[in-house]
Amino acid sequence: MKLLVIGCGGVARVAIIKAAKSGEFSEIMIASRTVGKCEALARELEGESKAKLLTAAVDAADVEALCGLISGFGPGAVLNLALPYQDLTIMEACLKCGVDYIDTANYECEDTDDPEWRAAYEKRVKEKGFTAYFDYSYQWAMKEKFEKAGLCALLGSGFDPGVSEVYCAYAQKHYFDTIETIDILDCNGGDHGYAFATNFNPEINLREVSANGSYIENGKWIETKPLEIKREYDFPEVGKKDMYLLHHEELESLAVNIKGVKRIRFFMTFGQSYIQHMNCLKDVGMLSTTPVEFEGREIVPIKFLKELLPDPATLGARTKGKTNIGCIFTGMKDGKKKTLYIYNVCDHEKCYEEVGSQAISYTTGVPAMVGALLVSNGTWRKPGVYNCEEFDPDPYMEALEKYGLPFVVKEDPELVD
C-alpha cells in the first residue's frame, strides 16, 4: 500500500513515524509547502523505516498541483495533516485522481470576511444555532460525489474528534442499549514551562477556545459565552483540574449518528495563566483574522501572533506530565441505568522518548495513522463521506492498543454535573 501524507508538523511527524515503522505501507510520500522539513524527517528515519520514503513540495491549496503530485506518486489514499483551511482542495484533488481521503479536523474557512462564505455562515447560524466558524456541512455535501466515484472519505480521525467518536460507537456496541448522555473530557496535565504556548497550531487552538461554547440537548444547540461553564474533575493519573465547556466538531456528527442521545457536551482543561493570556490577546485584537495595515503592509493579527509563539512541534523536549482524554456515558442496559467512562492516559515524556513529540501530537498522530491504515487496507472502506462513529469500532480500538494508545473502561465513574 502506498500512502501520501500532506503536512509535516507535529501531528504528521507522529503519524509518519508510526506508519513508516508499521510494516503496513510499502511507500510513503511526505509532502509539504516546506520540503526541507519532509526531507529532514525522511533522513531521520533512514534505517528504521520499513516503507520507502519519498518527499515533495506542494501547495495544499492548489488542486492542480495536488493532482500532479497524486498522479505522479499513485497512492491508494491521501492522509491530510495540513491545516483545516485546505480540506476542500485536498478532497477535490482526491476526487479528480480517484484516491481515498482521511483527515483529522473539519473544514474551516481561512477568510471569514469573504462575502460568499459569510452569507452561508449566517444562514447556518440561523438554521442550526451555533456560531463556530467550523462545521461539517461543506465536507458532508461531498458525500454523493465520493459515492459516485467509489471513493471513501474518512473525516476527523484524530483523538477528539476521532477516538472520542470511536469510544462512543464502542460503548454503544458493547455496553449500552441506549446512550442518553455523553461528556467528552480532554485533559492536558502537562507543563511545558513557558508562560504561554499552545499545544497545537495557534491559529486553530486560540480561535476554538476563545469562541462561544455550545452543547446539544434534546436535539437543539445551546450556546454559551466563551468559557462560561466551568467544572472541576478528578482525572485518573492526572488529578483535579478545572475544565471548561467548548464547542467541538464531533458534537455535530455524534448528534446524528448516536441514536437516542439526549445531551452531548465537550470539556477541555485550562490553567488560569493560559486563560488570562488568551483573554488579553483577544481584548487587544491579536486573535483577529481580519487583515490590518501596518507600516505599509497588510498582516493578519493571529498569523503574526503565531510567529511569535513557541512552535508546538518544539514543546516535546520540555513537556512533563500526562494527558487524559475520554468519554463519560450514561444510559440504559437491560432495563437498568448504567454509567461508564472510557479513556486513555498518555505520558508526555514517554511520547517524546518514542517519537520526539509531546502527547498532544501523539494522541492525534496515532489515530490519524490508524484511520489511514483501516481505509487503505479496506477494513473501514466504503464509498462516501463518513465520520469515525459510522464504522465498526472494534478494529480501530484494536489498532489503538497495538500502536500506543491503550484504553481503560471504568464502570460507575464520577459524573460531571
Side-chain angles (χ1 to χ4, degrees):
M1 298 185 298
K2 296 169 72 172
L3 178 68
L4 170 60
V5 181
I6 299 177
C8 198
V11 171
R13 174 187 175 84
V14 176
I16 291 162
I17 290 173
K18 287 288 189 176
K21 294 182 178 181
S22 71
E24 299 285 352
F25 297 96
S26 57
E27 295 182 44
I28 300 170
M29 176 172 279
I30 313 166
S32 172
R33 187 189 295 270
T34 309
V35 70
K37 293 172 68 175
C38 307
E39 293 168 344
L41 180 55
R43 286 194 299 270
E44 185 180 331
L45 288 170
E46 286 180 3
E48 297 181 50
S49 176
K50 296 177 182 178
K52 180 181 178 182
L53 299 180
L54 302 92
T55 62
V58 72
D59 179 358
D62 185 336
V63 174
E64 294 308 314
L66 288 164
C67 284
L69 180 65
I70 295 169
S71 298
F73 177 53
V78 172
L79 174 57
N80 170 18
L81 297 177
L83 293 173
Y85 309 141
Q86 295 152 343
D87 286 359
L88 300 186
T89 54
I90 298 174
M91 290 181 79
E92 286 289 351
C94 287
L95 280 169
K96 285 190 173 186
C97 298
V99 298
D100 295 325
Y101 170 89
I102 305 98
D103 69 27
T104 62
N106 67 359
Y107 172 68
E108 183 171 350
C109 181
E110 185 171 16
D111 181 8
T112 55
D113 293 320
D114 176 74
E116 183 179 348
W117 178 86
R118 177 61 62 173
Y121 167 75
E122 297 292 351
K123 182 175 182 290
R124 189 261 289 162
V125 170
K126 289 180 180 179
E127 290 176 350
K128 293 195 174 181
F130 65 92
T131 58
Y133 284 156
F134 50 91
D135 73 297
Y136 278 117
S137 63
Y138 290 89
Q139 292 176 283
W140 283 349
M142 301 176 78
K143 183 178 181 68
E144 187 175 346
K145 290 183 179 180
F146 272 82
E147 286 176 343
K148 288 182 176 179
L151 300 173
C152 180
L154 177 64
L155 307 182
S157 187
F159 205 108
D160 44 358
V163 176
S164 57
E165 293 158 285
V166 176
Y167 283 174
C168 292
Y170 190 78
Q172 186 176 54
K173 180 177 179 180
H174 295 287
Y175 292 96
F176 289 88
D177 295 324
T178 305
I179 294 175
E180 296 178 350
T181 70
I182 303 169
D183 280 332
I184 303 166
L185 311 186
D186 186 329
C187 169
N188 178 17
D191 181 7
H192 46 56
Y194 285 113
F196 183 72
T198 63
N199 291 298
F200 57 96
N201 186 290
E203 286 185 67
I204 308 302
N205 180 233
L206 291 170
R207 285 170 65 173
E208 176 182 274
V209 176
S210 62
N212 288 338
S214 64
Y215 61 98
I216 293 176
E217 190 162 24
N218 296 322
K220 295 182 179 180
W221 287 95
I222 299 173
E223 194 158 74
T224 67
K225 295 177 182 178
L227 307 181
E228 177 184 355
I229 295 179
K230 173 186 173 182
R231 298 288 187 269
E232 183 184 73
Y233 196 80
D234 191 356
F235 290 90
E237 298 190 46
V238 175
K240 291 184 178 180
K241 294 288 182 181
D242 290 337
M243 62 183 188
Y244 298 83
L245 185 141
L246 304 182
H247 175 87
H248 224 245
E249 59 213 72
E250 65 263 50
L251 274 63
E252 188 180 4
S253 68
L254 288 170
V256 174
N257 295 316
I258 303 298
K259 304 303 180 185
V261 68
K262 296 178 180 178
R263 190 190 69 202
I264 315 172
R265 303 184 296 184
F266 179 94
F267 291 90
M268 185 176 284
T269 62
F270 300 101
Q272 288 304 306
S273 176
Y274 179 97
I275 293 172
Q276 289 167 1
H277 278 82
M278 183 192 72
N279 285 337
C280 180
L281 291 167
K282 183 180 180 181
D283 289 344
V284 299
M286 286 303 295
L287 305 190
S288 173
T289 60
T290 301
V292 298
E293 290 288 334
F294 177 73
E295 295 185 350
R297 295 182 59 190
E298 191 176 79
I299 63 169
V300 177
I302 197 167
K303 288 183 178 290
F304 179 69
L305 175 63
K306 178 184 175 182
E307 296 303 311
L308 299 177
L309 293 174
D311 182 348
T314 67
L315 298 179
R318 303 172 56 100
T319 307
K320 303 181 186 303
K322 296 178 179 181
T323 63
N324 181 311
I325 314 174
C327 301
I328 296 176
F329 306 95
T330 69
M332 301 295 292
K333 179 67 174 178
D334 298 328
K336 298 179 181 179
K337 291 184 179 181
K338 184 176 183 64
T339 61
L340 194 77
Y341 186 14
I342 305 178
Y343 64 89
N344 163 266
V345 174
C346 207
D347 187 296
H348 284 287
E349 291 177 276
K350 289 181 179 178
C351 292
Y352 185 74
E353 183 180 346
E354 180 188 348
V355 296
S357 293
Q358 32 88 332
I360 304 301
S361 295
Y362 193 93
T363 54
T364 305
V366 171
M369 176 268 182
V370 167
L373 173 61
L374 295 184
V375 171
S376 296
N377 68 19
T379 304
W380 265 26
R381 189 185 188 282
K382 57 182 177 180
V385 176
Y386 299 96
N387 294 85
C388 289
E389 69 271 24
E390 296 182 81
F391 290 93
D392 179 6
D394 292 355
Y396 200 104
M397 295 289 272
E398 291 166 8
L400 289 175
E401 289 268 10
K402 180 178 180 179
Y403 292 108
L405 291 179
F407 61 95
V408 176
V409 178
K410 182 178 181 181
E411 302 272 359
D412 302 318
E414 173 192 356
L415 301 181
V416 181
D417 61 20

